[in-house]
Amino acid sequence: MTDTALTLNLEEVRSRIARAAREAERDPGEIALIAVSKMFPAERIAPLLQAGHRDFGENRVQEAASKWPELRERYEDVVLRLIGPLQSNKAADAVALFDVIESVDREKIARVLAAEMEKQNRPLPVYVQVNTGEEPQKAGVTPAEAVTFAKRCREEHGLAVEGLMCIPPQDEPPAPHFALLHELAREAGLLKLSMGMSADYEAAVSLGATSVRVGSGIFGERPPK
Ligand SMILES: *Cc1c(COP(=O)(O)O)cnc(C)c1O
């Protein structure tokens, strides 16, 4: 894909987000576009940085560590989000590298992250990941646990919980999952909702997303692993 095609994709996604926001009577400025750059090399990411984009998501700590430190030297105001599952032995690296951690989903990782943030003096905002479809293979707390878990993260661990994140099941309409996440955030008193990917970000915007995570819709199809 050429650099121009990449920035055109970015523009197209932005304008579709703005349209979906206006249709839902929301301010398009409330919705952040997270470009999910997993599996793509730094050369593919650079044109977006050059075009002024700063919000990116990666799902693996090690992969992110191999490409972002160098990009960050050139673009200091990048905001990098961890959107994939986190193992506790990677927590130190994750806290050092990322600016937001969206995949907090169990007691142990909440505790380890809180300790690392204190140690590194980097109190990062976090999201609680909710497994809205209750899929056995997927990360996230169950919807029934979400409100209590978010509260424990704040009160027991002192984490700055900003919002909730979900990845709906692939074979179901996403809207009920987005609506559920919105309702859980309301119950938990949280303002941010990370939901919506390439296939469904407009639906997510109509249901209250404050950030959407778009990968293939910007970068094209991911290379095989
Ligand atoms: C890969 C990924 C995305 C982006 O997926 P696309 O369908 O390529 O937009 C969004 N969120 C998470 C958690 C991901 O792992």
Side-chain angles (χ1 to χ4, degrees), residues 7 12 23 25 34 43 49 51-52 71 76-77 86 93 111 124 129 146 150 154 164 173 177 195 203 212 218 225:
T7 49
E12 155 96 19
E23 278 169 12
E25 296 182 8
I34 313 305
E43 307 85 78
L49 288 161
L71 289 167
E76 286 175 3
D77 51 346
L86 178 59
D93 291 344
R111 191 174 63 240
L124 306 180
Q129 183 173 351
R154 278 185 291 188
L164 302 180
H177 296 273
M195 58 189 196
V212 295
I218 294 172
K225 283 185 197 161

mmCIF file of all heavy atoms in Angstrom, residues 7 12 23 25 34 43 49 51-52 71 76-77 86 93 111 124 129 146 150 154 164 173 177 195 203 212 218 225:
data_model
loop_
_atom_site.group_PDB
_atom_site.id
_atom_site.type_symbol
_atom_site.label_atom_id
_atom_site.label_comp_id
_atom_site.label_asym_id
_atom_site.label_seq_id
_atom_site.Cartn_x
_atom_site.Cartn_y
_atom_site.Cartn_z
ATOM 1 N N THR A 7 -2.928 7.316 3.994
ATOM 2 C CA THR A 7 -3.489 8.538 4.575
ATOM 3 C C THR A 7 -4.908 8.775 4.061
ATOM 4 O O THR A 7 -5.738 9.318 4.776
ATOM 5 C CB THR A 7 -2.584 9.764 4.330
ATOM 6 O OG1 THR A 7 -2.231 9.802 2.953
ATOM 7 C CG2 THR A 7 -1.323 9.688 5.149
ATOM 8 N N GLU A 12 -10.723 8.694 5.293
ATOM 9 C CA GLU A 12 -12.030 8.069 5.059
ATOM 10 C C GLU A 12 -12.633 7.585 6.385
ATOM 11 O O GLU A 12 -13.806 7.814 6.675
ATOM 12 C CB GLU A 12 -11.824 6.911 4.070
ATOM 13 C CG GLU A 12 -12.850 5.785 4.128
ATOM 14 C CD GLU A 12 -13.963 5.948 3.107
ATOM 15 O OE1 GLU A 12 -13.755 6.708 2.144
ATOM 16 O OE2 GLU A 12 -15.021 5.318 3.301
ATOM 17 N N GLU A 23 -24.907 11.844 13.077
ATOM 18 C CA GLU A 23 -26.205 11.165 13.010
ATOM 19 C C GLU A 23 -26.711 10.793 14.394
ATOM 20 O O GLU A 23 -27.911 10.733 14.635
ATOM 21 C CB GLU A 23 -26.116 9.920 12.116
ATOM 22 C CG GLU A 23 -26.231 10.280 10.647
ATOM 23 C CD GLU A 23 -25.870 9.117 9.714
ATOM 24 O OE1 GLU A 23 -25.758 7.969 10.197
ATOM 25 O OE2 GLU A 23 -25.692 9.393 8.517
ATOM 26 N N GLU A 25 -26.172 12.592 16.930
ATOM 27 C CA GLU A 25 -26.157 13.871 17.658
ATOM 28 C C GLU A 25 -25.055 13.916 18.706
ATOM 29 O O GLU A 25 -25.260 14.340 19.838
ATOM 30 C CB GLU A 25 -27.536 14.159 18.264
ATOM 31 C CG GLU A 25 -28.560 14.326 17.152
ATOM 32 C CD GLU A 25 -29.963 14.659 17.656
ATOM 33 O OE1 GLU A 25 -30.106 14.903 18.867
ATOM 34 O OE2 GLU A 25 -30.874 14.674 16.827
ATOM 35 N N ILE A 34 -8.201 5.191 17.171
ATOM 36 C CA ILE A 34 -6.967 4.485 17.498
ATOM 37 C C ILE A 34 -6.576 3.634 16.290
ATOM 38 O O ILE A 34 -7.311 2.720 15.912
ATOM 39 C CB ILE A 34 -7.164 3.532 18.714
ATOM 40 C CG1 ILE A 34 -7.905 4.221 19.864
ATOM 41 C CG2 ILE A 34 -5.819 2.951 19.170
ATOM 42 C CD1 ILE A 34 -7.297 5.495 20.340
ATOM 43 N N GLU A 43 7.777 1.105 8.938
ATOM 44 C CA GLU A 43 7.684 1.866 7.660
ATOM 45 C C GLU A 43 6.233 2.112 7.270
ATOM 46 O O GLU A 43 5.923 3.077 6.588
ATOM 47 C CB GLU A 43 8.341 1.112 6.496
ATOM 48 C CG GLU A 43 9.759 0.666 6.704
ATOM 49 C CD GLU A 43 9.816 -0.667 7.424
ATOM 50 O OE1 GLU A 43 9.586 -1.723 6.814
ATOM 51 O OE2 GLU A 43 10.073 -0.629 8.659
ATOM 52 N N LEU A 49 2.105 8.919 10.997
ATOM 53 C CA LEU A 49 2.709 9.875 11.936
ATOM 54 C C LEU A 49 3.036 11.167 11.202
ATOM 55 O O LEU A 49 2.780 12.264 11.696
ATOM 56 C CB LEU A 49 3.975 9.264 12.552
ATOM 57 C CG LEU A 49 3.724 8.139 13.572
ATOM 58 C CD1 LEU A 49 4.971 7.287 13.765
ATOM 59 C CD2 LEU A 49 3.257 8.716 14.904
ATOM 60 N N ALA A 51 1.520 12.298 8.709
ATOM 61 C CA ALA A 51 0.263 12.993 8.410
ATOM 62 C C ALA A 51 -0.370 13.574 9.672
ATOM 63 O O ALA A 51 -1.444 14.161 9.618
ATOM 64 C CB ALA A 51 -0.704 12.031 7.721
ATOM 65 N N GLY A 52 0.289 13.381 10.815
ATOM 66 C CA GLY A 52 -0.202 14.023 12.039
ATOM 67 C C GLY A 52 -0.973 13.119 12.983
ATOM 68 O O GLY A 52 -1.414 13.554 14.040
ATOM 69 N N LEU A 71 10.223 5.045 16.886
ATOM 70 C CA LEU A 71 9.229 5.971 16.326
ATOM 71 C C LEU A 71 8.943 7.112 17.313
ATOM 72 O O LEU A 71 8.771 8.265 16.939
ATOM 73 C CB LEU A 71 7.923 5.231 16.007
ATOM 74 C CG LEU A 71 7.974 4.276 14.812
ATOM 75 C CD1 LEU A 71 6.742 3.375 14.780
ATOM 76 C CD2 LEU A 71 8.094 5.068 13.501
ATOM 77 N N GLU A 76 7.317 12.534 19.759
ATOM 78 C CA GLU A 76 7.249 12.378 21.211
ATOM 79 C C GLU A 76 5.828 12.359 21.760
ATOM 80 O O GLU A 76 5.588 11.859 22.851
ATOM 81 C CB GLU A 76 8.020 13.512 21.894
ATOM 82 C CG GLU A 76 9.517 13.312 21.768
ATOM 83 C CD GLU A 76 10.299 14.480 22.322
ATOM 84 O OE1 GLU A 76 9.684 15.421 22.859
ATOM 85 O OE2 GLU A 76 11.535 14.447 22.198
ATOM 86 N N ASP A 77 4.898 12.947 21.006
ATOM 87 C CA ASP A 77 3.536 13.070 21.546
ATOM 88 C C ASP A 77 2.625 11.905 21.141
ATOM 89 O O ASP A 77 1.408 11.989 21.273
ATOM 90 C CB ASP A 77 2.921 14.416 21.142
ATOM 91 C CG ASP A 77 3.026 14.673 19.649
ATOM 92 O OD1 ASP A 77 3.803 13.955 18.957
ATOM 93 O OD2 ASP A 77 2.340 15.589 19.151
ATOM 94 N N LEU A 86 -2.440 -9.106 28.701
ATOM 95 C CA LEU A 86 -1.167 -8.812 29.343
ATOM 96 C C LEU A 86 -0.828 -9.887 30.370
ATOM 97 O O LEU A 86 -1.646 -10.214 31.220
ATOM 98 C CB LEU A 86 -1.281 -7.439 30.032
ATOM 99 C CG LEU A 86 -0.063 -6.938 30.808
ATOM 100 C CD1 LEU A 86 1.161 -6.828 29.912
ATOM 101 C CD2 LEU A 86 -0.372 -5.585 31.433
ATOM 102 N N ASP A 93 7.467 -3.997 31.383
ATOM 103 C CA ASP A 93 7.694 -3.480 30.031
ATOM 104 C C ASP A 93 6.484 -2.707 29.535
ATOM 105 O O ASP A 93 6.612 -1.672 28.883
ATOM 106 C CB ASP A 93 7.958 -4.636 29.049
ATOM 107 C CG ASP A 93 9.301 -5.307 29.317
ATOM 108 O OD1 ASP A 93 10.133 -4.703 30.023
ATOM 109 O OD2 ASP A 93 9.504 -6.436 28.830
ATOM 110 N N ARG A 111 -3.147 -5.875 40.345
ATOM 111 C CA ARG A 111 -2.213 -5.680 41.453
ATOM 112 C C ARG A 111 -0.792 -5.432 40.938
ATOM 113 O O ARG A 111 -0.110 -4.498 41.346
ATOM 114 C CB ARG A 111 -2.247 -6.920 42.345
ATOM 115 C CG ARG A 111 -1.525 -6.749 43.673
ATOM 116 C CD ARG A 111 -1.723 -7.952 44.575
ATOM 117 N NE ARG A 111 -1.163 -9.157 43.995
ATOM 118 C CZ ARG A 111 -1.851 -10.265 43.698
ATOM 119 N NH1 ARG A 111 -3.149 -10.339 43.931
ATOM 120 N NH2 ARG A 111 -1.247 -11.301 43.165
ATOM 121 N N LEU A 124 -0.566 5.279 34.878
ATOM 122 C CA LEU A 124 -1.262 5.308 33.588
ATOM 123 C C LEU A 124 -2.768 5.090 33.739
ATOM 124 O O LEU A 124 -3.196 4.334 34.602
ATOM 125 C CB LEU A 124 -0.732 4.184 32.682
ATOM 126 C CG LEU A 124 0.761 4.109 32.446
ATOM 127 C CD1 LEU A 124 1.080 2.928 31.527
ATOM 128 C CD2 LEU A 124 1.266 5.409 31.835
ATOM 129 N N GLN A 129 -11.313 -4.615 30.642
ATOM 130 C CA GLN A 129 -11.839 -5.337 29.480
ATOM 131 C C GLN A 129 -12.981 -6.245 29.918
ATOM 132 O O GLN A 129 -12.851 -7.018 30.868
ATOM 133 C CB GLN A 129 -10.738 -6.162 28.810
ATOM 134 C CG GLN A 129 -11.244 -6.870 27.553
ATOM 135 C CD GLN A 129 -10.135 -7.573 26.770
ATOM 136 O OE1 GLN A 129 -8.941 -7.406 27.053
ATOM 137 N NE2 GLN A 129 -10.534 -8.353 25.783
ATOM 138 N N ALA A 146 -18.166 -6.923 36.100
ATOM 139 C CA ALA A 146 -17.458 -5.732 35.607
ATOM 140 C C ALA A 146 -17.501 -4.546 36.573
ATOM 141 O O ALA A 146 -16.457 -3.932 36.852
ATOM 142 C CB ALA A 146 -18.015 -5.320 34.246
ATOM 143 N N ALA A 150 -14.192 -3.108 38.455
ATOM 144 C CA ALA A 150 -13.708 -1.744 38.170
ATOM 145 C C ALA A 150 -13.551 -0.971 39.485
ATOM 146 O O ALA A 150 -12.568 -0.239 39.679
ATOM 147 C CB ALA A 150 -14.670 -1.022 37.223
ATOM 148 N N ARG A 154 -10.026 0.528 41.322
ATOM 149 C CA ARG A 154 -9.819 1.907 41.786
ATOM 150 C C ARG A 154 -9.514 1.959 43.268
ATOM 151 O O ARG A 154 -8.566 2.586 43.700
ATOM 152 C CB ARG A 154 -11.074 2.746 41.510
ATOM 153 C CG ARG A 154 -11.112 3.251 40.079
ATOM 154 C CD ARG A 154 -12.285 4.167 39.852
ATOM 155 N NE ARG A 154 -13.509 3.386 39.915
ATOM 156 C CZ ARG A 154 -14.706 3.864 39.605
ATOM 157 N NH1 ARG A 154 -14.842 5.123 39.235
ATOM 158 N NH2 ARG A 154 -15.766 3.106 39.658
ATOM 159 N N LEU A 164 -14.264 1.266 29.990
ATOM 160 C CA LEU A 164 -14.402 -0.161 29.699
ATOM 161 C C LEU A 164 -14.075 -0.415 28.232
ATOM 162 O O LEU A 164 -14.248 0.458 27.379
ATOM 163 C CB LEU A 164 -15.837 -0.634 29.976
ATOM 164 C CG LEU A 164 -16.379 -0.438 31.401
ATOM 165 C CD1 LEU A 164 -17.815 -0.971 31.487
ATOM 166 C CD2 LEU A 164 -15.502 -1.124 32.436
ATOM 167 N N PRO A 173 -24.276 -9.976 15.890
ATOM 168 C CA PRO A 173 -24.370 -8.533 15.680
ATOM 169 C C PRO A 173 -23.749 -7.808 16.887
ATOM 170 O O PRO A 173 -24.008 -8.198 18.033
ATOM 171 C CB PRO A 173 -25.876 -8.254 15.617
ATOM 172 C CG PRO A 173 -26.538 -9.575 15.503
ATOM 173 C CD PRO A 173 -25.591 -10.625 15.974
ATOM 174 N N HIS A 177 -23.816 -5.818 22.232
ATOM 175 C CA HIS A 177 -22.613 -5.833 23.068
ATOM 176 C C HIS A 177 -22.153 -4.401 23.376
ATOM 177 O O HIS A 177 -21.750 -4.103 24.495
ATOM 178 C CB HIS A 177 -21.505 -6.634 22.383
ATOM 179 C CG HIS A 177 -21.883 -8.080 22.222
ATOM 180 N ND1 HIS A 177 -21.648 -9.020 23.194
ATOM 181 C CD2 HIS A 177 -22.552 -8.728 21.233
ATOM 182 C CE1 HIS A 177 -22.135 -10.193 22.811
ATOM 183 N NE2 HIS A 177 -22.675 -10.034 21.609
ATOM 184 N N MET A 195 -14.623 0.762 22.023
ATOM 185 C CA MET A 195 -15.348 -0.310 21.331
ATOM 186 C C MET A 195 -15.539 0.064 19.865
ATOM 187 O O MET A 195 -15.653 1.230 19.520
ATOM 188 C CB MET A 195 -16.692 -0.591 22.018
ATOM 189 C CG MET A 195 -17.638 0.590 22.127
ATOM 190 S SD MET A 195 -19.065 0.185 23.184
ATOM 191 C CE MET A 195 -20.187 1.538 22.708
ATOM 192 N N ALA A 203 -21.306 1.637 14.131
ATOM 193 C CA ALA A 203 -22.316 1.199 15.111
ATOM 194 C C ALA A 203 -21.853 1.537 16.522
ATOM 195 O O ALA A 203 -22.644 1.979 17.364
ATOM 196 C CB ALA A 203 -22.563 -0.305 14.984
ATOM 197 N N VAL A 212 -12.492 4.276 19.011
ATOM 198 C CA VAL A 212 -12.674 3.104 18.156
ATOM 199 C C VAL A 212 -11.288 2.630 17.738
ATOM 200 O O VAL A 212 -10.363 3.431 17.600
ATOM 201 C CB VAL A 212 -13.556 3.405 16.921
ATOM 202 C CG1 VAL A 212 -14.968 3.760 17.349
ATOM 203 C CG2 VAL A 212 -12.973 4.524 16.062
ATOM 204 N N ILE A 218 -7.549 0.833 8.055
ATOM 205 C CA ILE A 218 -6.550 1.860 7.742
ATOM 206 C C ILE A 218 -5.347 1.241 7.026
ATOM 207 O O ILE A 218 -4.938 1.712 5.965
ATOM 208 C CB ILE A 218 -6.062 2.566 9.033
ATOM 209 C CG1 ILE A 218 -7.205 3.353 9.676
ATOM 210 C CG2 ILE A 218 -4.882 3.490 8.715
ATOM 211 C CD1 ILE A 218 -6.868 3.911 11.050
ATOM 212 N N LYS A 225 0.630 -14.436 10.089
ATOM 213 C CA LYS A 225 1.598 -14.525 11.201
ATOM 214 C C LYS A 225 2.819 -15.355 10.832
ATOM 215 O O LYS A 225 2.699 -16.304 10.096
ATOM 216 C CB LYS A 225 0.917 -15.165 12.410
ATOM 217 C CG LYS A 225 0.030 -14.177 13.097
ATOM 218 C CD LYS A 225 -0.575 -14.737 14.390
ATOM 219 C CE LYS A 225 -1.763 -13.854 14.766
ATOM 220 N NZ LYS A 225 -2.683 -14.431 15.661
#
